[in-house]
Amino acid sequence: METGFFQFTVGNLQCTLITDGKHAYADPKALLFPDAPEAELASELAMHGISADNWPCWVSDYTCLLIDTGKRKILLDTGAGEMLPEAGKVVENMRAAGISPESVDCVLISHAHPDHVGGAGYFPDARIVMSHREWQFWTGSPTLPRLPDDFRNLLTGMVSSLLAPLRERVELVDGDTEIAPGIRLVEAPGHTPGHMALLAASRGEHLIYAGDAVIHKIHIRNLQWSPLVDVLPDESTRTRNRLLSEAADNRAVFVGFHLPHAGKISRDDAGFAWHQLVV
Ligand SMILES: [Zn+2]
């Protein structure tokens, strides 16, 4: 998104994708598709114009979603805040879209990873909502068996320092929760144990914010190739299947924090296919 934001409607809901920035991740094959068979992955990558032998880094978009119901402004995820030099632009791009950050009533956090919770401090007066299960996981002794020690220590340290200032103001929810009429937070575990997604409907039109349940477009055709950072890879696969099925059945606009833009999902021989709203 060249302008830093993109607006569309879902029924009566005015929706804005807001770019927080981008980040380059090293060793993307091991990070995104650790369990994928080499030859199958090479052919999937080739379909996306990527050479399996020469893919040094994956440049990921960071995309927050703002839903204006007419009465309330609800922000999904907050970006990386001060954590990364090329991110933390959610407030700047929100203003570019003509939306004042002070007008955001409610901030929903899909999960506690730093790229999603890092900007929560930019919205000091908003209600902040996240999963109770997610909060308990990260403020307890999180087990992250798939991650190498240095990555695990870095991640848990960052998450604890970001969650600590939110302790007094966060509202923790258990299970599926209605946020506003027609707008529901739903359990979508796998990427993290308390990961949540959002389903919205208005006047027969539908919207899904998947957070990190679908990180890369290749996961849309290959549900079983869970990323390395997914704490519960099998649950992650089931969640992807459920959200993508719902998106295909309801012709929903589908948004993921790391996907390049909003899209629609259809079923095809391989499973699901992605159709970007604007290329
Ligand atoms: Zn993320």
Side-chain angles (χ1 to χ4, degrees):
M1 288 178 286
E2 304 259 309
T3 56
F5 66 91
F6 175 77
Q7 295 187 300
F8 58 97
T9 56
V10 173
N12 291 334
L13 306 174
Q14 179 69 45
C15 304
T16 308
L17 300 180
I18 303 169
T19 303
D20 184 58
K22 288 179 185 286
H23 182 62
Y25 292 87
D27 201 4
K29 282 198 293 182
L31 181 71
L32 293 170
F33 315 110
D35 306 321
E38 192 79 20
E40 280 180 51
L41 178 56
S43 94
E44 284 290 326
L45 290 170
M47 286 168 59
H48 289 79
I50 301 167
S51 160
D53 300 323
N54 182 25
W55 194 27
C57 73
W58 165 56
V59 179
S60 167
D61 291 273
Y62 284 2
T63 307
C64 305
L65 170 66
L66 187 112
I67 302 173
D68 186 345
T69 67
K71 289 186 177 164
R72 302 174 61 189
K73 292 194 180 73
I74 300 166
L75 179 66
L76 277 298
D77 286 333
T78 66
E82 313 294 315
M83 189 183 70
L84 299 168
E86 68 277 39
K89 298 183 171 71
V90 68
V91 165
E92 176 186 327
N93 286 325
M94 192 177 279
R95 287 214 170 94
I99 300 162
S100 113
E102 294 78 19
S103 69
V104 173
D105 305 285
C106 181
V107 171
L108 307 179
I109 305 285
S110 65
H111 66 295
H113 281 165
D115 47 334
H116 300 256
V117 79
Y122 296 151
F123 306 95
D125 301 319
R127 170 188 174 204
I128 292 191
V129 179
M130 68 182 283
S131 145
H132 192 187
R133 186 182 178 193
E134 183 74 357
W135 182 273
Q136 284 189 315
F137 177 76
W138 290 101
T139 54
S141 307
T143 46
L144 302 162
R146 280 158 60 88
L147 298 186
D149 287 349
D150 51 349
F151 189 176
R152 179 170 56 228
N153 294 338
L154 178 71
L155 184 60
T156 52
M158 286 172 113
V159 172
S160 341
S161 68
L162 290 167
L163 292 186
L166 301 181
R167 186 177 300 275
E168 299 301 319
R169 51 185 298 234
V170 71
E171 185 181 323
L172 300 174
V173 296
D174 288 298
D176 296 1
T177 302
E178 186 173 69
I179 297 296
I183 301 180
R184 280 188 304 140
L185 263 183
V186 297
E187 292 185 313
H191 183 63
T192 60
H195 184 280
M196 297 194 93
L198 179 123
L199 308 182
S202 173
R203 296 173 69 93
E205 295 183 1
H206 295 262
L207 167 71
I208 296 180
Y209 176 76
D212 279 8
V214 178
I215 288 188
H216 192 281
K217 283 190 280 182
I218 286 176
H219 292 119
I220 293 170
R221 274 170 50 92
N222 299 273
L223 306 181
Q224 72 285 14
W225 293 351
S226 293
L228 186 68
V229 284
D230 286 11
V231 180
L232 305 164
D234 293 341
E235 270 200 70
S236 177
T237 297
R238 286 195 288 276
T239 289
R240 262 191 293 290
N241 189 35
R242 183 165 56 82
L243 293 177
L244 291 166
S245 298
E246 179 123 9
D249 293 347
N250 290 327
R251 300 171 187 273
V253 177
F254 193 89
V255 176
F257 183 81
H258 295 277
L259 295 175
H261 208 286
K264 294 267 182 116
I265 304 294
S266 66
R267 294 179 194 275
D268 73 2
D269 295 343
F272 297 101
W274 164 260
H275 311 276
Q276 199 156 298
L277 284 193
V278 176
V279 179

